[in-house]
């Protein structure tokens, strides 16, 4: 069964304290892994797509990396405005249809 | 970037009533629209996939008679929760995709449904 597990569930950091969020996945034939940011009471906002092991993508203070079993979202010198829930999703084939399977998210809080 | 809107953003209704939620792609034509449900501190769960002009495909365990989806045009999809009950209270999020690639999918802001 295709599964996505994110850790930790919640993370509190001080402003400027770098860290990483983990997304472990089990999927037969990865066709894409996606990172989203979700603010409270809002829909997810697309951040990155990664397609193959070894691929990396960066955007401001965020950098996403991918291996054959997991992806990391590295946050460098975060600011309070980076506080949000970060969701990971994988593209999977379920009953013949392409779908996104989401992890439960990591709630990130950056204290000033 | 592409914009997807949802209306209403919040709705409170009495048990047994029906509620309609609209999802619109404002600046692109969506070949496919999706409806998700999200419980507090949980992930997004896909409810159904709809293509313009055809019947929606529901995920296993989602009652199609309870959650009616209509995708009447390339920019509008509606979700009607019929005979709502308190257990239907949740955050409903739609998304619209204009191409085949999943990075052409954009999410709406969500609708918070509370059934009393």
């Amino acid at each position: 069964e295709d599964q996505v597990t994110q850790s930790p569930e919640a993370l509190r950091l001080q402003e400027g304290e770098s860290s990483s969020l983990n997304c472990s996945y089990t999927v037969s034939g990865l066709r894409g892994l996606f990172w989203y940011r979700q603010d409270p009471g809002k829909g997810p906002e697309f951040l990155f797509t990664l397609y193959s092991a070894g691929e990396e993508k960066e955007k401001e203070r965020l950098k996403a990396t991918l291996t054959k079993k997991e992806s990391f979202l590295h946050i460098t010198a975060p600011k309070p405005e980076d506080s949000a829930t970060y969701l990971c999703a994988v593209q999977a084939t379920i009953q013949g249809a392409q779908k996104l399977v989401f992890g439960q998210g990591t709630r990130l809080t950056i204290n000033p | 970037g592409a914009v997807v809107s949802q209306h209403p953003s919040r709705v409170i209704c009495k048990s047994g009533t029906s509620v309609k939620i609209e999802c619109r792609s404002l600046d692109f034509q969506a070949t496919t629209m999706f409806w998700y449900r999200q419980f507090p501190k949980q992930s997004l769960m896909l409810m159904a996939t709809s293509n313009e002009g055809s019947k929606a495909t529901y995920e296993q365990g989602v009652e199609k008679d309870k959650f009616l989806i209509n995708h009447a045009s390339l920019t509008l999809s509606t979700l009607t929760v019929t005979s709502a009950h308190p257990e239907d209270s949740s955050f409903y999020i739609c998304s619209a995709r204009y191409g085949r690639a999943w990075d052409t999918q954009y999410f709406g802001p969500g609708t918070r449904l509370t059934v009393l």
Side-chain angles (χ1 to χ4, degrees), chain A residues 34 36 38 41-44 46 49 51 87 91 95 98-100 102-104 107, chain B residues 36 38 41-44 46 59-60 91 93 101-103 105 107-110 112:
Chain A
F34 303 81
Y36 294 89
Q38 186 176 25
K42 300 283 178 67
F46 171 77
T49 310
Y51 290 105
L87 298 170
Q91 182 178 343
Q95 295 179 328
Q98 291 293 311
K99 299 175 188 176
L100 287 189
F102 282 84
Q104 76 278 24
R107 292 189 308 281
Chain B
Y36 294 85
Q38 187 177 34
K41 297 184 181 179
Q42 291 189 28
S43 187
L44 275 72
L46 180 65
E59 293 302 298
Q60 201 167 10
F91 192 49
I93 305 174
W102 285 93
D103 54 9
Q105 173 182 225
F107 286 86
R112 172 74 58 195

Side-chain angles (χ1 to χ4, degrees), chain A residues 2-42:
Chain A
D2 300 308
Q3 272 193 314
V4 180
T5 304
Q6 290 186 248
S7 62
E9 230 177 82
L11 181 62
R12 286 184 176 272
L13 299 171
Q14 289 299 120
E15 184 173 359
E17 182 184 359
S18 302
S19 189
S20 298
L21 312 182
N22 178 265
C23 171
S24 298
Y25 62 90
T26 307
V27 63
S28 46
L30 179 72
R31 299 183 69 170
L33 184 142
F34 303 81
W35 281 99
Y36 294 89
R37 170 190 170 127
Q38 186 176 25
D39 292 301
K42 300 283 178 67

Side-chain angles (χ1 to χ4, degrees), chain B residues 35-113:
Chain B
W35 287 96
Y36 294 85
R37 185 172 178 175
Q38 187 177 34
F39 290 106
K41 297 184 181 179
Q42 291 189 28
S43 187
L44 275 72
M45 298 299 295
L46 180 65
M47 298 176 67
T49 301
S50 73
N51 294 295
E52 184 261 340
S54 55
K55 288 185 181 179
T57 303
Y58 290 82
E59 293 302 298
Q60 201 167 10
V62 177
E63 299 173 59
K64 60 178 71 174
D65 294 331
K66 181 165 187 62
F67 298 100
L68 300 178
I69 292 171
N70 184 280
H71 193 161
S73 77
L74 284 170
T75 59
L76 173 64
S77 176
T78 60
L79 168 68
T80 301
V81 183
T82 62
S83 187
H85 290 285
E87 57 266 30
D88 299 323
S89 298
S90 188
F91 192 49
Y92 292 88
I93 305 174
C94 76
S95 69
R97 193 176 72 185
Y98 63 79
R100 287 193 169 186
W102 285 93
D103 54 9
T104 67
Q105 173 182 225
Y106 293 87
F107 286 86
T111 296
R112 172 74 58 195
L113 170 64

Side-chain angles (χ1 to χ4, degrees), chain B residues 24-43:
Chain B
R24 291 181 186 272
S25 55
L26 298 184
D27 51 1
F28 65 96
Q29 293 188 324
T31 53
T32 309
M33 285 185 163
F34 305 86
W35 287 96
Y36 294 85
R37 185 172 178 175
Q38 187 177 34
F39 290 106
K41 297 184 181 179
Q42 291 189 28
S43 187

